[in-house]
Amino acid sequence: MKKTWNRILIIFSIIIVIEAVAGVILLLPHYRFHKIYNDINKGKYESVKNDFVHLRESDKEKLMAELDGYASELCTEYIEGKKTYYEVAASFDAIGCLDNTKELTEKYMKDINNYEYMTQIDNVYKAEVKFDSKESFEAKKNVASVMNRLNSEDRDQRLIEMMNSKYISYLEEEISEEEIGKFFPIVSEFALGDAEDYIKIVLNNVASVEAYRKLYSEAVELNKNNKCITVLEICNSVELDPNDTLYKQKFEELYNSAYTCGKLYYSEILNKEVVSGNNETVLKMLDEIVKYYGDDFDYSKYKLAMADKWQERYLDLLKNPDEEIKKNLGTDEESIYKEIVSQYDSYKPNGLALYDVDSDGVPELFLKNIDNEDSICFIFTVKEDELCFLGCHNIMNLCDDGYLITRPLYSGNDDSICILNKLDSNTYVQDSMCESKDDQYYVNGSQTNDVDYLKTKSSIMDHSNGKRVSDLKMQPYEDAENCVLSYK
């Protein structure tokens, strides 16, 4: 019985040993697989190398497939401050002992070195902002150490990235002009090639931004003082950095404020100027207002408010001057104007001037082709608030006493015939005429001697004020409204 019991114990012991060995055999690959990750994490180069050799082929393939993701996690832990640079570098050194991992380790170590380089330069910047010379010195030593791990092109690119980042922070007013200004001397210590050139670009950009920020402050004050058009002009002309969304919004809001306030302010000012009879001031203001308000302003309201009856009549005529002229010329074949009617395009006026020929306070309207100095004038006036046509005239000299000195209608600039016309009621009638031709002299159609001729011509010219049509400030039709409304 005792022997039987011993045999049973031996058998059980053998079974337990077999199971233990089997467990070890089964669990050993899993242990080695997890141990290799633990050794990589601790930077144990030799252990990783030995463990990898003993892995099953399937585990080797699995490890290699997972390495990229694991390397990325190592970088994240470094960026989050969970691992130091040296701990991460040791881990990648351990990964590097495995076959076909050179490209992977170089890729991630380059990222880490780039990040470390930028971090240490930023540490220098932070120390400079705090005026901490000791901390700045230590950070610069660290920068010098990291520089050896990067080529000059990579270093320059990182500096450019950092300048861009600082510039965006400056645009968003997270840092001041003074604070970003402290960054560039630091960068210039380490910059080469492209980064050196980029410093100048960013500095110029900062100068431009400061200029329009100052301009914005000035525009805000102008807006407070109701210089709304000036503010609108500034907002329209300012050139902003496309990345400066903050000041783009500020200028847009300022523009909208000036636009809205300006409509109310300029309406009040125009009303006062109209009441005061300052028509020229009103017209100048309206010329400026139309540039910025377009159709969003009631211009006619002020123009009509400052117009006298004679101005209203002239403005109505000038809406379609050719129609009014042709209506007054008539179509009678016996009319003295028949040549003008038949060849109207040759005489068609395109300009105007105002001149008070009888000093009654209502200027006459002279219409003329301003491209032809010898062209005739079509003259209108307003009597008792009604428009009157004073005829077509080939004017020699102007007068101030209701007279007009002319030549024959179709004689061009021939001054050998001089006609004095008197304004009688609503038309000009011939008062006297003298002519000199081939040593022959005529007065009012009758031949006479030179003494009578000169006496008559002298009496005619006594009415002249010495001005000719060319002395009038003829304006093109485009400026008709201003010409009429600004007359004094």
Side-chain angles (χ1 to χ4, degrees):
M1 184 69 181
K2 187 175 181 182
K3 289 183 179 179
T4 301
W5 180 251
N6 288 335
R7 287 174 185 166
I8 292 172
L9 287 176
I10 292 169
I11 292 171
F12 272 114
S13 298
I14 292 170
I15 291 172
I16 291 171
V17 170
I18 292 171
E19 288 179 347
V21 171
V24 170
I25 293 171
L26 289 172
L27 292 175
L28 185 59
H30 297 287
Y31 166 75
R32 285 175 174 165
F33 186 83
H34 291 288
K35 181 176 180 296
I36 201 169
Y37 270 117
N38 188 53
D39 289 342
I40 289 174
N41 194 43
K42 294 180 179 180
K44 295 182 177 180
Y45 182 95
E46 292 297 332
S47 295
V48 171
K49 188 174 182 180
N50 292 330
D51 289 342
F52 186 77
V53 173
H54 294 96
L55 286 179
R56 295 176 301 185
E57 287 302 317
S58 59
D59 287 336
K60 288 181 180 179
E61 291 175 4
K62 181 181 178 183
L63 177 65
M64 298 305 292
E66 293 177 353
L67 272 182
D68 192 273
Y70 180 70
S72 179
E73 288 178 12
L74 286 174
C75 290
T76 302
E77 289 180 347
Y78 163 69
I79 292 171
E80 292 176 350
K82 295 177 181 178
K83 285 184 177 293
T84 66
Y85 172 82
Y86 296 103
E87 288 173 337
V88 173
S91 293
F92 277 105
D93 189 45
I95 292 173
C97 75
L98 305 177
D99 294 337
N100 303 318
T101 57
K102 181 179 180 181
E103 184 177 344
L104 181 141
T105 54
E106 287 181 351
K107 168 190 169 185
Y108 283 103
M109 279 307 299
K110 180 178 179 180
D111 290 344
I112 289 171
N113 285 324
N114 282 330
Y115 183 83
E116 179 73 7
Y117 181 62
M118 294 168 71
T119 299
Q120 294 305 328
I121 287 181
D122 200 47
N123 287 339
V124 176
Y125 167 71
K126 290 175 182 176
E128 292 292 332
V129 170
K130 293 187 297 182
F131 299 101
D132 189 331
S133 57
K134 182 178 180 181
E135 188 176 322
S136 174
F137 178 76
E138 290 300 321
K140 285 181 181 180
K141 281 174 59 179
N142 292 336
V143 171
S145 175
V146 181
M147 284 176 65
N148 296 326
R149 307 176 204 142
L150 296 169
N151 60 46
S152 59
E153 184 178 341
D154 286 337
R155 295 200 303 269
D156 261 17
Q157 287 304 310
R158 300 298 79 74
L159 291 174
I160 290 172
E161 288 174 16
M162 293 188 75
M163 282 189 277
N164 281 333
S165 177
K166 284 288 184 289
Y167 181 63
I168 293 300
S169 296
Y170 161 72
L171 290 180
E172 294 174 353
E173 295 190 327
E174 294 173 357
I175 59 175
S176 66
E177 178 196 13
E178 181 182 1
E179 288 172 322
I180 193 174
K182 290 182 178 180
F183 185 66
F184 297 109
I186 297 168
V187 173
S188 65
E189 287 187 44
F190 308 106
L192 297 169
D194 292 344
E196 280 186 315
D197 295 335
Y198 204 72
I199 291 173
K200 298 173 185 176
I201 294 172
V202 181
L203 282 172
N204 286 336
N205 288 349
V206 170
S208 298
V209 172
E210 285 301 309
Y212 67 65
R213 284 182 177 179
K214 180 181 178 182
L215 188 62
Y216 172 79
S217 298
E218 293 171 356
V220 169
E221 292 303 312
L222 289 169
N223 196 39
K224 291 178 182 177
N225 295 316
N226 292 317
K227 302 296 183 182
C228 306
I229 284 181
T230 304
V231 175
L232 295 177
E233 185 177 355
I234 289 172
C235 292
N236 277 341
S237 61
V238 67
E239 293 185 10
L240 303 177
D241 187 313
N243 296 308
D244 196 351
T245 54
L246 180 63
Y247 267 79
K248 181 182 178 183
Q249 182 179 350
K250 284 188 175 185
F251 271 102
E252 286 175 354
E253 290 173 352
L254 180 60
Y255 180 93
N256 293 334
S257 172
Y259 189 92
T260 303
C261 295
K263 283 186 71 175
L264 297 173
Y265 173 73
Y266 292 122
S267 294
E268 292 175 2
I269 296 299
L270 286 167
N271 285 330
K272 291 178 182 177
E273 295 294 341
V274 167
V275 171
S276 301
N278 298 325
N279 290 6
E280 192 169 354
T281 300
V282 171
L283 290 170
K284 285 181 178 178
M285 285 183 64
L286 291 175
D287 282 344
E288 286 298 307
I289 290 170
V290 73
K291 295 176 185 177
Y292 298 96
Y293 288 90
D295 296 332
D296 194 19
F297 205 89
D298 189 359
Y299 307 100
S300 60
K301 167 185 172 182
Y302 304 101
K303 291 177 179 179
L304 292 174
M306 65 182 172
D308 289 335
K309 286 293 183 182
W310 66 265
Q311 290 171 311
E312 291 180 19
R313 296 293 177 267
Y314 287 161
L315 289 175
D316 286 341
L317 179 155
L318 289 164
K319 291 176 182 176
N320 195 341
D322 294 330
E323 181 180 335
E324 187 66 31
I325 291 171
K326 289 178 180 179
K327 181 178 75 175
N328 284 281
L329 292 177
T331 58
D332 188 351
E333 285 296 320
E334 300 302 318
S335 169
I336 61 171
Y337 301 134
K338 64 180 181 180
E339 181 178 329
I340 298 175
V341 173
S342 63
Q343 302 179 42
Y344 182 73
D345 286 345
S346 301
Y347 298 95
K348 181 178 178 178
N350 58 6
L352 73 150
L354 294 171
Y355 186 76
D356 192 354
V357 299
D358 55 359
S359 302
D360 66 348
V362 177
E364 278 59 49
L365 176 64
F366 290 72
L367 303 180
K368 180 181 180 296
N369 188 318
I370 58 179
D371 299 320
N372 181 358
E373 187 176 341
D374 298 329
S375 181
I376 61 174
C377 284
F378 302 84
I379 306 176
F380 290 86
T381 192
V382 173
K383 297 292 183 182
E384 297 179 357
D385 296 338
E386 295 298 325
L387 187 68
C388 302
F389 180 56
L390 300 182
C392 305
H393 300 277
N394 182 4
I395 299 173
M396 180 187 296
N397 287 91
L398 296 167
C399 310
D400 298 322
D401 54 4
Y403 287 86
L404 191 66
I405 302 172
T406 65
R407 313 177 187 91
L409 195 57
Y410 306 112
S411 65
N413 60 0
D414 182 5
D415 289 347
S416 63
I417 301 177
C418 182
I419 305 170
L420 180 66
N421 301 277
K422 182 179 181 181
L423 185 59
D424 184 13
S425 184
N426 296 334
T427 187
Y428 274 109
V429 294
Q430 183 175 308
D431 183 83
S432 59
M433 179 182 73
C434 64
E435 178 181 4
S436 171
K437 184 179 181 181
D438 298 331
D439 295 327
Q440 301 292 316
Y441 302 98
Y442 301 86
V443 173
N444 295 327
S446 300
Q447 189 170 359
T448 185
N449 56 48
D450 60 342
V451 176
D452 286 341
Y453 165 79
L454 291 173
K455 182 179 179 181
T456 302
K457 185 167 186 178
S458 178
S459 67
I460 291 174
M461 297 308 295
D462 283 343
H463 291 277
S464 171
N465 59 14
K467 292 182 179 179
R468 293 178 176 259
V469 174
S470 58
D471 295 316
L472 297 178
K473 294 181 179 179
M474 301 295 295
Q475 302 294 319
Y477 276 169
E478 294 79 29
D479 298 330
E481 194 173 64
N482 279 358
C483 179
V484 173
L485 292 175
S486 63
Y487 177 83
K488 290 186 177 180

